[in-house]
Amino acid sequence: MRKEINGATYDTAQATVDKKFTFGAPGDPCGFEETLYLTPDGKYFVYTYGGKSSKYQSENIFAIKRENVKDWILSH
């Protein structure tokens, strides 16, 4: 997935996975994934996706500041 946010492009195909959290079993309509990526130029973003009854019913990307990454990881 690729998304532009505030003039920056975030692309899962060009970035490296740093952390991935999976909630629920495969095929679970309430299950979802949150994946932290690092871009080649050092920016972080989170890719989210889930089942039709989850909090992430469609794919999305949101940027996350480097200083917030540790808190994001610890919140899981």
Side-chain angles (χ1 to χ4, degrees):
M1 180 179 187
R2 182 181 169 129
K3 185 174 182 179
E4 188 172 317
I5 303 170
N6 297 327
T9 301
Y10 300 93
D11 187 347
T12 57
Q14 301 298 319
T16 303
V17 173
D18 189 292
K19 288 281 187 193
K20 183 174 186 175
F21 296 98
T22 303
F23 302 89
D28 179 356
C30 295
F32 61 91
E33 295 180 354
E34 297 178 337
T35 307
L36 178 69
Y37 283 87
L38 178 62
T39 67
D41 60 348
K43 295 178 184 164
Y44 283 94
F45 68 94
V46 177
Y47 166 80
T48 59
Y49 183 71
K52 64 182 178 178
S53 298
S54 75
K55 65 180 184 177
Y56 303 117
Q57 297 176 8
S58 61
E59 290 181 295
N60 196 18
I61 286 176
F62 66 88
I64 184 169
K65 293 181 180 180
R66 180 178 290 274
E67 58 266 19
N68 296 331
V69 168
K70 183 177 179 181
D71 289 338
W72 181 85
I73 291 169
L74 292 175
S75 73
H76 293 82

